[in-house]
Amino acid sequence: MSWKGLKNGEKTLLDHVFWASGISRDALAAASSFSKSRANAAVAELLEQGLLEPTGELASTGGRRAETLRLSRSLGVLIGVAVGATGLEVGILSPDLSVLAHHSEPADVRDGPVPVLARIRALMRELLAQCGVLPRQVIAIGIGLPGPVDFDTGQLVNPPLMPQWDAYSIRDDIATDFAAPVFVDNDVNVMALGELWRMQRSLQNFLVVKVGTGIGCGVVCHGQVYRGANGSAGDVGHICVVPDGPRCHCGNLGCVEAMAAGPAIARMATEAAEAGQSPLLARLIAERGPLRLQDVAEASRAGDMAANQVMQRAGAYVGQMLASVVNFFNPSHVFIGGGITRVGPLFLAAVRQSVYHRSLALSTRHLEIQYTPLGERAGLIGAGVLAMQESLRRMEVE
Amino acid sequence: MSWKGLKNGEKTLLDHVFWASGISRDALAAASSFSKSRANAAVAELLEQGLLEPTGELASTGGRRAETLRLSRSLGVLIGVAVGATGLEVGILSPDLSVLAHHSEPADVRDGPVPVLARIRALMRELLAQCGVLPRQVIAIGIGLPGPVDFDTGQLVNPPLMPQWDAYSIRDDIATDFAAPVFVDNDVNVMALGELWRMQRSLQNFLVVKVGTGIGCGVVCHGQVYRGANGSAGDVGHICVVPDGPRCHCGNLGCVEAMAAGPAIARMATEAAEAGQSPLLARLIAERGPLRLQDVAEASRAGDMAANQVMQRAGAYVGQMLASVVNFFNPSHVFIGGGITRVGPLFLAAVRQSVYHRSLALSTRHLEIQYTPLGERAGLIGAGVLAMQESLRRMEVE
């Protein structure tokens, strides 16, 4: 990409446009703390260089036309990859994060990094071809993975769900096909980044909690993703909710992940079916084999009492964990994502009830708890944000 | 103070010197990202204006003299006030936070703001006179209070330990004697700010936990005190540690504050004395009346078995609460302060054991848990840092 020789002020403008795509020239000038004439001159230069492009026009205000701006599509494309414990998604995105093409499919991360990343590279090549884009036009690649990531090396560190990936060089693997820089982060950090972008950084302090095969939390603090002293911030899955509960794979008793994540929900629902409390769940087991989170979600949406009780119990445990976190962190919003979002409002209602009951009034006075607005797209969009944000950060200026 | 007409770069230099008092000219130039010659010119200007002054000289390195700098004492003085539930401290500090004079005494915040603040104003006047300084030479006043503070208005919001202070204008009260600006914050935020300054901002993500009449936590995130969406971040006292424990004054069951703060420690020790488990504690009750935290601490330091068991139980509960917080926040350090520091290593050992047992390995790999290095001075120094930091922030630049 031809963006060498930029001045620092111009880089700041590009950053503003990335975080508020479709911003008007006037709003950009105001946000940049430049004078209007200086901002206009810099924007003209960036349009000239092909780094920005007009998106269209805002409604006329007082007779003047306010042109809106986005990062230029001539810069190239981003590749976003969202890997979960049981599935993966690859997408091609424009610099302003429109999804140009994407594909998702089931996958098992326990197969190890070699086959999973080979499949991801094949999908990247296919999707690029589909868009008529060459690999050298890829600006950067962002990848979210369900485990603790050392952000500097882009490697997983003792990931409990996918031990074969420990210290595997994801960058070297991707480099067999692509020269573009690769940025890797934890899946919930990536989701949090996606939501931060969606809201144009208007929220400064919020959480994104993913409930799927595991339970994790992305933390946004002072408007930035917070990774903690060792990169393990947001590792809430092993907060204890039942002191004498069942043993978790981490060795402790009654961790929220052992009580309320996908496998625990499937276990509770199976017990209910075996106890004869739900003909529907029993039939699903007979037809499909062992229950998964999505089966229990389906039964709950169909109004099955036993499935609903399981979902309420799981929601109450997640809420109990969140009550401690909300007292400590006092976020403005908690967004809940991952496979659990398919359950519908019942799970969310149980979480809310538990949090509002156990947290301090001051912490919850304005607290909003809802499903991730980006929904199933949060991981893919977030991976695109990661790729573009880090590329902008590394831009050289004069 | 005559610091109008400063340029932005000079203000940045003053800020650097404040956060690293005694910094050498070379280190300042390096930290400021200015060229050496530009930094030297700016420092010369600030020395000329009387905003900086030399502190002395570092050891000679290779034949050259490296002059070290601090904020000039001719700027005036700061007043720091640290109010606890059962005592208060007032101090006069130089701009580089040397304590010039200070006084502490017992006080009961439940007497309400009028008599307590009148006493504080009287102490301010006395201490200033003792230093030979006039009220108009006060740069700013920083106050730490044991309750939730709305930082912008400087008022307490529904403080559980001191309800009469709710929405009382502390600024208007102080203004009856002093024209200097007044900055008010929660006591643990102020302690965290003090420790941040002591370490010259070298730690970016840490906690300061105060265990006294209540339990609270100051949070430093990305190198800044973090207050949360409503200013209640760090309100860890009502995190549940015993789901079916005794009812807390907040209405919930088994909050860590109800199980392990000063009053709970006194209660457990009294029960031990009444059960005949400790002749020493029984004698202290006979001699001094109802036990306080400091009596139990004294018995523990004297080796009393029952007092030691109480301290270990309280430490285990605090550690259990911290385990959740450490999993979520992954701080590099947890500093424990407040009245509990008088107990000695026993309490700290129990906290550590509980945290290391319950937190994830990755979160605790490099975690350090220790008593606040500033000790009893953390509140006073922190109040001085608050006053100076906010004054520097509000400095007008050209």
Side-chain angles (χ1 to χ4, degrees):
Chain A
M1 270 175 320
S2 59
W3 54 22
K4 293 211 171 154
L6 270 189
K7 292 186 192 65
N8 204 27
E10 293 174 334
K11 179 171 164 173
T12 307
L13 289 179
L14 282 184
D15 204 56
H16 271 299
V17 174
F18 170 63
W19 283 97
S21 203
I23 191 172
S24 74
R25 280 171 186 253
D26 287 354
L28 181 59
S32 68
S33 81
F34 288 162
S35 70
K36 213 162 177 175
S37 61
R38 193 172 153 205
N40 278 335
V43 167
E45 179 68 25
L46 292 168
L47 285 162
E48 174 75 22
Q49 288 182 274
L51 297 172
L52 291 182
E53 64 187 20
T55 46
E57 277 157 37
L58 287 175
S60 164
T61 50
R64 295 183 52 238
R65 296 191 327 178
E67 201 178 321
T68 59
L69 301 161
R70 67 182 179 203
L71 294 187
S72 171
R73 298 200 168 184
S74 68
L75 287 168
V77 298
L78 307 164
I79 301 181
V81 181
V83 181
T86 58
L88 59 83
E89 183 168 22
V90 179
I92 311 296
L93 302 99
S94 63
D96 62 328
L97 296 190
S98 298
V99 178
L100 307 175
H102 76 110
H103 172 87
S104 60
E105 63 183 33
D108 190 341
V109 291
R110 289 169 303 178
D111 292 343
V114 175
V116 173
L117 289 172
R119 178 63 188 149
I120 286 172
R121 279 188 277 109
L123 286 171
M124 288 174 172
R125 288 193 307 265
E126 274 174 40
L127 290 166
L128 283 175
Q130 208 173 303
C131 298
V133 175
L134 299 170
R136 65 176 171 74
Q137 292 173 284
V138 176
I139 302 168
I141 298 166
I143 305 180
L145 291 168
V149 172
D150 178 331
F151 188 70
D152 292 329
T153 65
Q155 295 178 0
L156 286 153
V157 184
N158 293 325
L161 294 175
M162 44 206 296
Q164 310 96 312
W165 293 64
D166 186 33
Y168 181 81
S169 177
I170 294 162
R171 282 189 186 141
D172 287 351
D173 188 298
I174 302 291
T176 58
D177 279 356
F178 295 92
V182 176
F183 304 102
V184 185
D185 205 346
N186 181 263
D187 57 350
V188 279
N189 287 350
V190 165
M191 287 167 72
L193 199 55
E195 296 295 345
L196 187 65
W197 178 83
R198 183 189 66 82
M199 296 176 296
Q200 305 194 344
R201 292 191 284 201
S202 60
L203 299 185
Q204 293 284 301
N205 308 301
F206 66 89
L207 306 178
V208 174
V209 177
K210 185 181 179 184
V211 181
T213 305
I215 295 181
C217 176
V219 184
V220 173
C221 179
H222 294 141
Q224 289 182 285
V225 172
Y226 172 74
R227 297 192 172 84
N230 300 93
S232 76
D235 222 336
V236 297
H238 302 282
I239 289 180
C240 175
V241 290
V242 182
D244 53 356
R247 191 165 297 278
C248 177
H249 60 81
C250 79
N252 278 317
L253 302 179
C255 298
V256 67
E257 188 164 301
M259 303 301 296
I265 288 171
R267 191 191 64 230
M268 289 189 281
T270 305
E271 286 165 6
E274 287 168 354
Q277 290 160 14
S278 166
L280 173 56
L281 288 170
R283 201 181 72 224
L284 289 177
I285 294 173
E287 283 170 9
R288 304 176 186 174
L291 290 174
R292 295 155 306 164
L293 173 56
Q294 61 214 70
D295 303 315
V296 192
E298 190 186 316
S300 172
R301 282 198 311 274
D304 183 77
M305 286 283 285
N308 284 347
Q309 278 172 6
V310 166
M311 285 304 171
Q312 282 169 322
R313 266 176 74 189
Y317 287 133
V318 170
Q320 192 182 325
M321 173 278 285
L322 275 175
S324 300
V325 166
V326 163
N327 273 347
F328 171 75
F329 191 69
N330 184 209
S332 67
H333 291 68
V334 175
F335 299 112
I336 296 180
I340 203 74
T341 53
R342 294 188 207 111
V343 179
L346 196 73
F347 178 82
L348 199 57
V351 172
R352 285 186 179 136
Q353 191 183 12
S354 185
V355 172
Y356 290 125
H357 175 65
R358 289 244 42 132
S359 295
L360 287 178
L362 190 59
S363 312
T364 54
R365 194 182 290 174
H366 305 291
L367 176 68
E368 295 206 21
I369 304 177
Q370 56 191 75
Y371 285 133
T372 43
L374 284 174
E376 308 262 337
R377 282 281 165 90
L380 189 62
I381 299 285
V385 178
L386 175 66
M388 197 67 218
Q389 169 185 264
E390 296 304 318
S391 300
L392 286 168
R393 245 181 220 159
R394 282 160 182 76
M395 268 172 59
E396 287 170 30
V397 291
E398 279 185 347
Chain B
M1 269 176 318
S2 59
W3 55 22
K4 292 209 171 157
L6 268 190
K7 291 184 193 68
N8 205 25
E10 293 174 335
K11 179 173 165 173
T12 307
L13 288 178
L14 281 183
D15 203 56
H16 272 299
V17 173
F18 170 63
W19 283 97
S21 202
I23 192 172
S24 74
R25 280 172 186 252
D26 289 354
L28 181 58
S32 67
S33 81
F34 289 161
S35 70
K36 213 162 175 174
S37 61
R38 192 171 155 206
N40 278 336
V43 166
E45 178 70 25
L46 292 168
L47 286 162
E48 174 74 21
Q49 289 182 273
L51 297 171
L52 292 183
E53 66 187 17
T55 46
E57 277 155 37
L58 286 175
S60 165
T61 51
R64 297 182 52 238
R65 294 190 328 178
E67 202 178 318
T68 59
L69 301 161
R70 68 182 178 203
L71 294 187
S72 171
R73 298 200 169 185
S74 67
L75 288 169
V77 297
L78 307 164
I79 301 182
V81 181
V83 180
T86 57
L88 60 83
E89 182 168 22
V90 179
I92 311 296
L93 303 98
S94 63
D96 62 329
L97 297 189
S98 298
V99 178
L100 306 175
H102 75 113
H103 171 86
S104 61
E105 64 183 32
D108 191 340
V109 289
R110 290 169 303 180
D111 292 343
V114 175
V116 173
L117 289 172
R119 177 65 188 148
I120 286 171
R121 281 188 277 108
L123 285 171
M124 289 175 172
R125 288 192 307 266
E126 274 174 39
L127 290 165
L128 284 175
Q130 207 173 302
C131 298
V133 175
L134 299 171
R136 64 176 171 77
Q137 291 173 286
V138 176
I139 303 168
I141 298 166
I143 304 180
L145 291 168
V149 172
D150 178 330
F151 187 69
D152 293 328
T153 64
Q155 295 178 4
L156 285 153
V157 184
N158 293 324
L161 294 175
M162 45 207 296
Q164 311 95 313
W165 292 63
D166 187 33
Y168 183 80
S169 178
I170 295 162
R171 284 192 182 137
D172 287 351
D173 188 299
I174 301 292
T176 57
D177 279 356
F178 296 92
V182 177
F183 304 102
V184 185
D185 205 347
N186 180 264
D187 57 350
V188 279
N189 287 350
V190 165
M191 287 168 72
L193 198 56
E195 297 294 344
L196 188 65
W197 178 84
R198 183 191 65 83
M199 296 177 295
Q200 305 194 345
R201 290 191 287 201
S202 61
L203 299 184
Q204 292 285 301
N205 308 300
F206 67 88
L207 306 178
V208 174
V209 177
K210 184 179 180 185
V211 181
T213 305
I215 295 181
C217 175
V219 183
V220 173
C221 179
H222 295 141
Q224 289 182 283
V225 171
Y226 172 74
R227 296 190 172 87
N230 301 93
S232 75
D235 221 336
V236 297
H238 302 282
I239 289 180
C240 174
V241 290
V242 182
D244 52 357
R247 192 166 296 277
C248 176
H249 60 83
C250 78
N252 278 316
L253 302 179
C255 298
V256 67
E257 188 163 301
M259 304 301 297
I265 288 171
R267 190 192 65 228
M268 290 189 281
T270 306
E271 285 165 7
E274 287 169 353
Q277 289 160 14
S278 166
L280 174 54
L281 287 170
R283 201 180 72 226
L284 289 177
I285 292 172
E287 284 172 9
R288 303 177 186 175
L291 289 174
R292 294 156 307 164
L293 172 57
Q294 62 215 68
D295 302 315
V296 192
E298 189 185 318
S300 173
R301 283 197 311 274
D304 182 78
M305 286 282 284
N308 285 347
Q309 278 170 7
V310 166
M311 286 302 173
Q312 281 168 323
R313 268 176 73 189
Y317 286 133
V318 170
Q320 191 182 326
M321 174 278 285
L322 275 176
S324 299
V325 167
V326 163
N327 273 347
F328 171 76
F329 192 68
N330 183 209
S332 67
H333 291 68
V334 176
F335 299 111
I336 296 179
I340 204 76
T341 54
R342 294 189 206 110
V343 179
L346 196 72
F347 178 82
L348 199 56
V351 172
R352 285 185 179 137
Q353 191 183 12
S354 184
V355 172
Y356 290 126
H357 174 64
R358 289 243 43 133
S359 295
L360 288 178
L362 189 60
S363 313
T364 54
R365 194 181 288 173
H366 306 291
L367 176 68
E368 295 205 20
I369 303 176
Q370 55 192 75
Y371 284 133
T372 42
L374 283 174
E376 308 262 337
R377 282 280 166 93
L380 189 61
I381 298 286
V385 177
L386 176 66
M388 197 67 218
Q389 169 185 263
E390 296 303 319
S391 300
L392 285 168
R393 247 182 217 159
R394 283 162 181 73
M395 267 173 59
E396 287 171 30
V397 291
E398 281 185 346

